[in-house]
Amino acid sequence: MALVPPSLSFHHHRQIQLTTQKPNLRSLPLILNPPKSCLTTQPTTTITTPPISQTIERLCQSGHLDQAFLLLQREFQENPDLGDQANAICLLLQSCGQAKNIEIGRKVHDLFSTEHTHLRDDVVLNTRLITMYSMCESPSESRILFDGLERKNLYQWNAMISGYNRNELWEDAMWLFCELVSATEFTPDNFTMPCVVKACGGLLCLELGKAVHGMAAKTGVDSDVFVGNALIGMYGKCGAVGDAVKVFEKMPVRNLVSWNAKMFVYSENGYAEESLAVFWDMMVGEDGLRPDSATLVTVLPVCAMEKEVEMGRLVHGLAVRLGLSYELMVSNALVDMYLKCGCVSEACLLFDRSVQRNVVSWNVMIGGCSREGDVYGAFNLLRQMQMEEKTKANAVTILNALSACVECHRLRSLKEIHGFAIRNSFQNDDLVANALVAAYAKCGSFSFADRVFYDIEDKTVSSWNALIGGYAQNGEPTKAVEKFHQMTLSGLEPDWFSIGSLLLACGHLKALRDGKSIHGFLLRNGLEMDSFVGISLLSLYIRCGELSQARLFFNKIEEKNLVCWNTMISGYPQNGLPENSINLFREMQRDGIQPSEIAIASMFSACAQLSASRLGKEMHGFVIKAYLDEDPFVGSSIVDMYAKSGCIKQSCIAFERLRERDLVSWTVMIAGYGIHGCGREAIELFERMQLEGFKPDGFTFIALLLACGHAGLVEEGLEYFSEMQTKHGIEPKIEHYTCIVDMLSRAAQFDRALRVVERMPVEPDAGILSALLSACRIHGNLSLGEQISEKLLKLDPYKAENYVLVSNLFARSGRWDNVRRLRGRMKEMGLKKDVGCSWVEIGSKFYHFKVGDDLLAEWEEIHGMWRTLEQKITKIGYSFDTASVLHELDEEEKVDILRGHSEKLAITYGLLKTKGVAVRVFKNLRMCGDCHTAAKLVSKVENRVIIVRDNKRFHHFSDGLCSCGDYW
């Protein structure tokens, strides 16, 4: 868009007489001087010298600005009255601005303002000077020159306002405009208004923009196409998409820029479909407009954002037909589109065939590899880039490469990038330094993060945010709070990111009181509705278990974005409220919001917690229809859902159908086999995973060791535990030791389990002691159980489950005095034992049962059915195992309690309400021995499959047998 008059020819200023004269060969640059021998042998003829402006123009086009200036200087000395000099000066000043060569520009300024004063007050030259200084990023010199002019015309005002815009000094541009309309007689024209409208957009001030729009309408320039285009852009930047569209529709004349601007407004404000529709309308419209490179680089990012690769290919074909595919900006946009759509091979092919590349080309490719997690590819491109002399890395190159180094095993690569940044003097760049701090934190190397941070000379709020956010997001919330206080003590005011990181740290620390104090501060200052802070507040309440408070805050948010919905939907399953998550998911769908992969995965997690196989299958169908099943995260969630719903065969089928398996999907399937007691299958899958080139991590080994423990594969488990350290170099964590201790003690190998505990590099936690104590109760090892009990209650004295474990140990041995003492202690501390609860899924509903629940509407029917079943199984060997009742009661009372166990009620109700299908029951506590025996025999007499999931594993009962082999 022209911001100053397009024609600056001097023909309107003075008549220039060009006379034929003998050329002054000494005044020409050396590259134009012929050899002396040629001069002496030539016949005596008149040689016509081209005008000086033509020679200057050729030198400027070839980049020889210094030679152009020397030639101009010689011309001034030898021909001070030559009229063509003014045109030459204009050409040279324009080239200085384009090349940002302010030194030559200043010399030209001095040349005609001090030595040749007859040009000092030339209007057009001064306008060119104002523009040159602003193009060279020195608007202060433009303003000094502007203020020194005795007489100014509208062109110079326009040039000055345009210069401020060019340097993003939006406020200065607006103040100068106010001075123009208030202190001069000039009327802003169709060159002034686009500049002013652009300044309003730069300030993101919609009200000011509307006022300028009104002024343009009053002066009649709003009908000008350049003004209209600027208004579309301004409204778009301010988020007023409707106003931008109105301007477009009312324009009497539109050009290609108008269509491009409307398309850009839609894309920048998240209206991807509308942006593509504008492109289509332009192509099939009657205006006969031919797309240019600006059109293509506007529509291609939309294709990338929406993963519309087919549309992107159509645009690619159009670019080829129009001869635009080799233009650098278009080529870069095409590569970027293919990369973001996952078509890496096509992007690489296009990149390799590019005729010309700049630093943006390389950055796009490096960024694409980094997003794919391809560190090798990103580093290889970086090395190739350094081999090209014309292209040098910039800060964006470093930032793109850094984004691939955000995991612990990438620390070495991160250090390599850090060294590259130091060697190329990027370590002092604020963005690079902050990104290095964040990357080291994500890799778990907080010492290096601190070192980089403290080497930053001028620490800004962004620098502190990188460190605080790094600690808060990567498991060091206490240090995040400390750094926040240090930042405030240094005199810097926290911003949104600082507050959000602090709230995140409070959430990790379960510091609800501190979090509420921050919330109060935000309320008092009217700041809680900021989107980033709002998400952090939601996360705080969810992490602290305050789901009702989180939901109240969620309901207050007027414009809920997808992150808000995802946070709330995923928060419910994390706090044991899966049904609330399902209800909220349905509410989101009613509001017409398309769920993301995160929400889908959270729904599968909720279904897994409820073991809601039917609802899980419905969700699976929804995912397939929405083409979301190809996402690895969603795919792993489907496999996990089926496994935890008792459908291990469907889980295996879903796993085998995954197009792309990652380490997570393999681990999930191994864990699925584990909780179903399929230890051998888990081992086979683990070996197959390695054959296919996947290297197990710590989580994979936890899943494998649990599978070995549930199946009683002790020796195999110990062998893999050793292999984890020797072959794969993974140091065992407390979770691995817990698996080993549980596996050994479950097999009554207490001596070996205790040796493992003694050799651990860390003190045993409550998980290890609980595993030992549970095994002591099962195997009747009272002496060891008493020793462990003392340690467990001392280590974790506020957890009801620990007292229940110890109490059950004493109850099994008949030590009722100890039982009463422990239960009295629990009562004093306000601790309550979890009530046994089971539920069964019938149709799309869940039916819940509690121990001894005789208040059910269908109690008589359930009770009668169980008595019938009891009679049948008694005939084939069932007798009540009253040892499973850990209460000081007589035998009849114990029998009554056993009859009221929640899993028996749920199984009976399932048999009553279904015919010929498996009964799926889920229990919140460990299944007792009596119920286990009864379920086996019921499956035989009723010829039905019964699947029970307790808090440890699955039991598949069929024809009088259980999949666990009575080992659980």
Side-chain angles (χ1 to χ4, degrees), residues 260-553:
N260 290 347
K262 184 183 179 184
M263 196 187 313
F264 185 76
V265 165
Y266 274 131
S267 66
E268 285 298 291
N269 285 277
Y271 296 94
E273 291 184 11
E274 289 79 358
S275 182
L276 294 176
V278 172
F279 175 71
W280 181 255
D281 290 344
M282 184 189 78
M283 294 296 298
V284 301
E286 298 178 357
D287 294 345
L289 295 173
R290 175 190 175 104
D292 62 0
S293 56
T295 312
L296 301 185
V297 299
T298 300
V299 74
L300 283 169
V302 181
C303 298
M305 180 173 60
E306 293 297 297
K307 303 290 189 293
E308 289 280 358
V309 68
E310 293 306 319
M311 183 67 175
R313 289 193 176 106
L314 289 174
V315 177
H316 188 178
L318 178 64
V320 172
R321 288 197 297 274
L322 295 174
L324 299 172
S325 59
Y326 292 107
E327 288 197 16
L328 192 54
M329 289 179 63
V330 176
S331 175
N332 290 344
L334 283 166
V335 172
D336 185 58
M337 181 274 296
Y338 281 123
L339 285 170
K340 288 178 178 174
C341 289
C343 303
V344 179
S345 58
E346 291 179 65
C348 291
L349 184 64
L350 189 58
F351 176 79
D352 291 337
R353 290 179 176 176
S354 297
V355 177
Q356 53 179 336
R357 301 171 185 153
N358 61 2
V359 67
V360 176
S361 315
W362 289 95
N363 288 347
V364 165
M365 280 300 300
I366 293 169
C369 288
S370 295
R371 282 191 299 274
E372 294 291 322
D374 183 7
V375 178
Y376 174 79
F379 275 50
N380 189 42
L381 282 165
L382 188 57
R383 294 185 185 101
Q384 290 180 39
M385 180 182 180
Q386 300 314 298
M387 296 172 65
E388 292 204 358
E389 295 182 1
K390 294 182 180 180
T391 309
K392 299 297 179 184
N394 60 14
V396 177
T397 316
I398 307 296
L399 294 173
N400 283 346
L402 279 173
S403 64
C405 307
V406 291
E407 297 177 7
C408 293
H409 63 286
R410 300 296 187 196
L411 182 59
R412 184 174 179 179
S413 300
L414 173 57
K415 289 180 178 179
E416 187 176 344
I417 286 290
H418 189 182
F420 177 84
I422 292 172
R423 290 192 301 274
N424 290 273
S425 303
F426 287 114
Q427 75 275 16
N428 294 323
D429 183 280
D430 287 343
L431 291 176
V432 171
N434 296 343
L436 282 167
V437 171
Y440 275 121
K442 287 178 181 177
C443 288
S445 182
F446 294 106
S447 59
F448 273 96
D450 282 337
R451 191 178 304 175
V452 174
F453 173 77
Y454 286 111
D455 283 343
I456 299 174
E457 293 182 7
D458 185 17
K459 297 177 179 62
T460 62
V461 174
S462 297
S463 308
W464 282 97
N465 284 346
L467 189 65
I468 295 167
Y471 277 123
Q473 295 166 20
N474 298 284
E476 291 288 345
T478 304
K479 288 187 177 179
V481 175
E482 291 175 4
K483 299 301 178 185
F484 180 86
H485 288 308
Q486 288 180 25
M487 181 186 76
T488 55
L489 289 172
S490 72
L492 291 172
E493 290 290 331
D495 62 6
W496 299 122
F497 192 89
S498 315
I499 298 292
S501 297
L502 184 62
L503 285 168
L504 180 62
C506 290
H508 283 299
L509 293 168
K510 303 289 191 295
L512 182 60
R513 184 175 179 179
D514 292 334
K516 283 186 174 180
S517 298
I518 299 168
H519 192 177
F521 166 80
L522 295 169
L523 277 171
R524 289 190 298 274
N525 292 275
L527 307 175
E528 70 169 347
M529 287 299 109
D530 176 80
S531 59
F532 179 71
V533 172
I535 298 299
S536 300
L537 277 169
L538 270 181
S539 299
L540 166 76
Y541 288 121
I542 288 169
R543 287 180 179 275
C544 293
E546 294 285 329
L547 270 298
S548 58
Q549 185 68 39
R551 185 57 190 266
L552 284 172
F553 181 69

Side-chain angles (χ1 to χ4, degrees), residues 705-888:
L705 294 174
L706 281 172
C708 291
H710 283 307
L713 303 174
V714 176
E715 298 306 322
E716 290 88 341
L718 292 173
E719 184 179 340
Y720 280 115
F721 181 66
S722 174
E723 184 181 296
M724 177 183 79
Q725 303 167 70
T726 57
K727 181 179 178 180
H728 298 282
I730 299 172
E731 287 298 318
K733 294 184 178 179
I734 195 73
E735 294 85 0
H736 300 100
Y737 286 111
T738 302
C739 294
I740 292 297
V741 171
D742 180 65
M743 178 175 62
L744 290 169
S745 57
R746 191 189 295 266
Q749 298 185 28
F750 291 105
D751 291 339
R752 297 177 77 179
L754 291 173
R755 282 198 297 272
V756 170
V757 173
E758 290 170 0
R759 293 172 183 173
M760 283 168 47
V762 294
E763 290 295 318
D765 66 354
I768 289 179
L769 296 178
S770 297
L772 277 168
L773 186 58
S774 180
C776 287
R777 182 187 67 80
I778 293 169
H779 296 289
N781 192 335
L782 183 61
S783 59
L784 178 60
E786 283 190 277
Q787 297 174 34
I788 295 168
S789 297
E790 293 178 8
K791 294 180 180 178
L792 178 61
L793 295 180
K794 186 177 180 181
L795 180 65
D796 194 356
Y798 300 104
K799 192 173 183 180
E801 184 182 338
N802 296 337
Y803 290 91
V804 173
L805 276 174
V806 178
S807 174
N808 290 346
L809 172 74
F810 289 130
R812 187 177 180 85
S813 305
R815 295 173 59 173
W816 300 110
D817 290 338
N818 298 80
V819 172
R820 283 189 289 271
R821 179 175 54 82
L822 282 167
R823 289 177 179 171
R825 188 174 169 187
M826 285 179 66
K827 189 175 181 179
E828 291 174 3
M829 298 177 68
L831 301 176
K832 292 183 179 180
K833 175 187 175 182
D834 289 338
V835 178
C837 177
S838 299
W839 60 97
V840 60
E841 182 189 13
I842 299 174
S844 58
K845 293 183 179 180
F846 295 94
Y847 299 87
H848 296 262
F849 302 86
K850 293 181 181 179
V851 173
D853 196 347
D854 58 357
L855 300 176
L856 296 167
E858 297 167 296
W859 165 251
E860 292 298 332
E861 189 178 5
I862 295 170
H863 182 70
M865 174 73 173
W866 174 251
R867 283 305 180 98
T868 303
L869 290 172
E870 193 178 291
Q871 291 174 5
K872 290 181 180 180
I873 62 177
T874 300
K875 291 178 181 179
I876 60 173
Y878 172 72
S879 62
F880 290 102
D881 181 10
T882 54
S884 297
V885 181
L886 302 176
H887 296 279
E888 192 177 5

Side-chain angles (χ1 to χ4, degrees), residues 851-852 885 887 889 892-901:
V851 173
V885 181
H887 296 279
L889 302 168
E892 286 190 15
E893 289 175 313
K894 288 183 178 181
V895 167
D896 285 339
I897 287 177
L898 288 174
R899 283 175 175 151
H901 274 194

Side-chain angles (χ1 to χ4, degrees), residues 87-104:
N87 274 334
I89 293 170
C90 280
L91 289 168
L92 185 50
L93 285 174
Q94 185 178 22
S95 298
C96 288
Q98 292 169 349
K100 297 192 185 314
N101 192 332
I102 196 170
E103 295 305 319
I104 297 293

Side-chain angles (χ1 to χ4, degrees), residues 949-961:
R949 187 191 80 179
D950 64 14
N951 67 345
K952 296 293 183 183
R953 56 165 297 156
F954 276 92
H955 301 266
H956 294 251
F957 300 100
S958 178
D959 196 28
L961 299 173

